[in-house]
Amino acid sequence: MERQPEGVVRSPAETVREAQRLLDAGMPFHAHEVFEDAWKSGPEASAPLWRGLAQLAVGLTHAARGNAVGGARLLRRGADGIEGLRTDPHGIDVPGLVRWARELAGRVEQAGPAVDAAREAPRLSGGSGAGG
């Protein structure tokens, strides 16, 4: 599958909207690239949020590819990276995403086989962080 164009500068709202669209479509690696663009092109103060979200998306990518160990590790790293950040930056449900990531990491470690990325996609805003 073709990669996302790199270095695209988006507003935070555009970043969240595009990443959610990609996550819902079962394309978490592409969402990772959108978050990475925001991390690298945005203000330094926002970097921990976007970096953590990129790690969550790439963790879901690994879990969907059957890499339980790497997927769980990246999901937890991303959760650790965003935990404690402002609870509503850009409308993002940080506590819900932290819960989602830790719960999915535990299931991936126990179950082992690949997960369905679209079915497990988190909701970035407006709720529990649970899949859509």
Side-chain angles (χ1 to χ4, degrees), residues 51-117:
R51 182 175 47 248
L53 293 174
Q55 289 170 329
L56 293 180
V58 83
L60 179 56
T61 299
H62 281 279
R65 293 178 179 169
N67 178 358
V69 172
R73 182 179 303 128
L74 283 160
L75 286 163
R76 287 195 178 100
R77 187 179 303 154
D80 290 347
I82 65 172
E83 186 173 43
L85 296 178
R86 212 173 94 230
T87 57
D88 190 30
H90 315 299
I92 296 170
D93 179 14
V94 172
L97 287 169
V98 169
R99 283 190 302 276
W100 166 84
R102 292 198 173 129
E103 188 272 331
L104 181 58
R107 279 194 294 120
V108 165
E109 282 180 330
Q110 290 176 3
V115 300
D116 181 317

